[in-house]
Amino acid sequence: MSDASAVLDDLRSESRELDLLVAGASARQWAGATPAQGWSVAHQIAHLSWTDDVALISVTDPGRFGDEVAKAMKDPEGFVDVAAGEIVAAYAPDALLTRWREGRERLQEALRAAPAGAKFPWYGPPMSVASVATGRLMETWAHGQDVADALGATRAPTARLRHVARIGVRARDYAFLVRGMQPPGEEFRVELTAPDGELIAYGPEGAAQRVTGPLHDFCLLVTQRAHRDDLAVRAEGADADTWLSVAQAFAGPAGPGRPPKAHR
């Protein structure tokens, strides 16, 4: 559990950073719009709380998780929005914040207590403890970006972004498949520069197709929190270039992404 524990520690830190951001927000700010169409700050926190709850079901009662998948199959495009909306309607901001805090801690405890090598069902392939924690960290960071944008706050990039980037790279083929496209047959070289100047690399050094750029920008790209035209991420090769237009680090249908700043 050593590697998983490290990711869980980072997840806890990422959650606390977002917690501090929303804990000081006014009721008006909680109701304010975020860049995600139709979602307020409260919707963002409600979604994180709901996803923690569903992940807890997966970890503690895998058989029951099948019911959650069945719900999603009935409305694959809208079930996430419906769940967030129901929670927002039921909880005032203070109660919603408490709900999220308690739920994410229950998930932490369940994941830390899980046996080594355990796999849990999800909306995509089954996931290990480390994979669940990494996925929750990615979502917390991505939805936290929406909240920060809505509140006019600037977040300093942290070393935790390497978890987000790793999911984005690993989800390359999924991003093609979910759009009905054939994934490239060759690996890409991905080289990302962390805020401290460290180079984070994936794929063979001699790969013909490459993606390069700042770690932070790549994470904004794969979580679809910014349009590629507004980011310093570059591609060499036709397939790599296509990937930058379809990349997503999250499971589920292809998202609409964000328009370029010039078109807002």
Side-chain angles (χ1 to χ4, degrees), residues 4 27 31 33 69 80 86 90 92 105-106 138 145 158 160 168 170 195 211 221-222 226 246 260-261:
V69 174
V80 169
E86 289 175 347
E105 192 56 35
R106 284 194 294 269
M138 179 272 294
Q145 185 62 47
T158 72
R160 297 189 295 270
R170 289 171 63 89
V211 168
L221 180 78
V222 298
V246 302
K261 289 180 179 178

Side-chain angles (χ1 to χ4, degrees), residues 193-205:
T193 305
D196 63 0
E198 179 187 0
L199 182 66
I200 300 172
Y202 305 90
E205 289 187 26

